Amino acid sequence: MTTPSLIPVKPEVAARTRIDSEAYARLYRESIDDNEGFWRREGQRVDWMRPYTQVKDVSFDASDLHIRWYADGQLNVSANCLDRHLEKRGDKTAIIWEPDNPADAPRHITYRQLHEEVCRFASALKAQGVGKGDRVTIYMPMVPEAAVAMLACARIGAMHSVVFGGFSPDSLASRIVDSGSRVVITADEGVRGGRAIPLKGNVDEALAQPGVDSVEKVIVVRRTGGRINWFEDRDLWYGDLIADASPDCPPEAMDAEAPLFMLYTSGSTGKPKGVLHTTGGYLVYVAMTHELVFDLREDDIFWCTADVGWITGHSYVVYGPLANGATTVMFEGVPNHPDVDRFWQVCDRHRVTILYTAPTAIRALMREGDEPVQRWRRDSIRLLGSVGEPINPEAWGWYYRVVGEERCPVVDTWWQTETGGILISPLPGATDLKPGSATRPLFGIQPALVDAEGRILEGATEGNLVLLDSWPGQMRTVYGDHQRFIDTYFKTYAGMYFTGDGCRRDEDGYYWITGRVDDVINVSGHRIGTAEVESALVAHAAVAEAAVVGFPHDIKGQGIYAFVTLTSDSQPSEDLRKELVQTVRACIGPIASPDHIQWAPGLPKTRSGKIMRRILRKIAANEHDQLGDISTLADPGVVEGLVNNRLIR
Ligand code: ATP
Ligand code: MG
């Protein structure tokens, strides 16, 4: 089955939305022509304790770099996510919690209940001496208490650093040291895919390491009641603290530019960066993008499947939805437990209207065929979203046809931990869709493509993706290493923010992310993006997932080496290998023909599910003794198998 390469906005969708294509074009132009005026108005989305008079104070010049938004305003993020909804939405469900085991009861937490719990926990943190500017590490499973902990920190002006619950004690330790956290909030155990994860045990191990000495208190949520060690003078039960604490805890007035949180990037390209976001601009930006991109309505049930340990979880499980008074679903489990139909079961159970997930999950579920999807009705869903990697047109088409039954627009949202929120994405009522393209910039966002020298390229072209101007949700620094911030993002091209991604722009002005610039392959002088070759491979019915890298080639400079994972009912064979090469030749051209195809039962991925091509590059080049930082790898076992079966020795 093929999906058309252009899918016009459906009239019934356009009729319901606030922004149609004409409004998009007009508002976009206005937002660039009068950028400051635009953001001055958008700033009104949130409630200020002291109104701002200044809006934008930005320089991208590396010698005088500064990024400040709404700098003289004051506000509190938790008050915006909770208190301001109490009057109208006190009894509305803020969080629906879906546990790992579908036989266990979900929880529905109203805005009023969430407000009370956050106030109590914020009081408890204060009683432990935590206050403005202190750092708190949150190492939690996907339970509502994780959101409570984040919001409680925001309420008292402490910065949180959420560390994904799948990370090892070593990774946790280095992040605690980097942040200098005084408090760690965790759970006795996490539960994912039917397995218990010893979170408290991992914290104990991390804190026992030499040099990890900033932590005074460990606060433990009881999730499973499993056996744990207890250190009387250090450990506290969350439940006890909440029971004893005052429900009265007024929100601190925070400067707009006060830090809200720090969060590490996924580590796809190297050592993770401790990205710092601030209070006012971040909140304005996530509230705006959550409303526009998802065309939010009062009765939506919004489900973003990301873990709160990633930026997507921060911006679109917690802060965006709650700032907008929406109902957000928090899912503790994984897509394939107890069975591969779990996502669709959850959608039906909670009448999810908007589903936002990642290509890695879509490809994994597509691999299992259509039947598990069709076991469920999915009739509540009206909009589908994708984030995290380029989505191959094949996977996009499956998501659109099989999951959404051609009824639901798919919004492919491009952004980064660094950007705080979505920058390039369709708007459901305004943008004709092209499978595989993140389409067009949101209001106030000025992407550009530049060549290696930083010259701006016009029209339909391909180049390095930069942003010419700031937006309120932009990161402000790398925590504790401002020079790294400047060097990484502002030194490559003078006066521009460099994203690290390669991109093509077509004749309609649509943006197509071609992969990381570091991953671009140069075959006999032709620059070939990994995403396009991978998409060609995935277009073959037998292929579930593919990762493509360059390797040193005597004649061509670089050759193309593909790692290919087949669907569950396909077998590797020499004929299939030839067919795949043929497919790529047909889709892209002979220049992109893979020189080698290695069958890969699994691919090395970050904990957030992104393919780590830099590791594959080392395997392809027969340099597997120099893999670099692999601490963020989800399953190191995958690498060994690939090394053992490498084709170049
Ligand atoms: P690190 O910066 O540590 O190498 P990372 O870049 O994977 O890790 P994230 O901030 O989680 O960390 O990911 C942002 C990147 O993910 C983007 O720069 C882009 O490469 C990719 N990405 C995210 N969404 C999309 C999308 N919709 N289409 C294409 N690529 C995407
Ligand atoms: Mg990155």
Side-chain angles (χ1 to χ4, degrees), residues 453-469:
E453 278 71 51
R455 282 182 294 250
I456 294 180
L457 307 168
E458 304 291 343
T461 185
E462 188 166 338
N464 301 325
L465 180 63
V466 298
L467 293 150
L468 300 179
D469 199 353

Side-chain angles (χ1 to χ4, degrees), residues 265-269 273 416-418 489 499-501 516 610:
T265 56
S266 312
S268 306
T269 57
K273 301 169 274 276
Q416 311 178 297
T417 309
E418 293 90 334
Y489 305 103
T499 64
D501 287 344
R516 319 270 175 162
K610 295 166 198 258

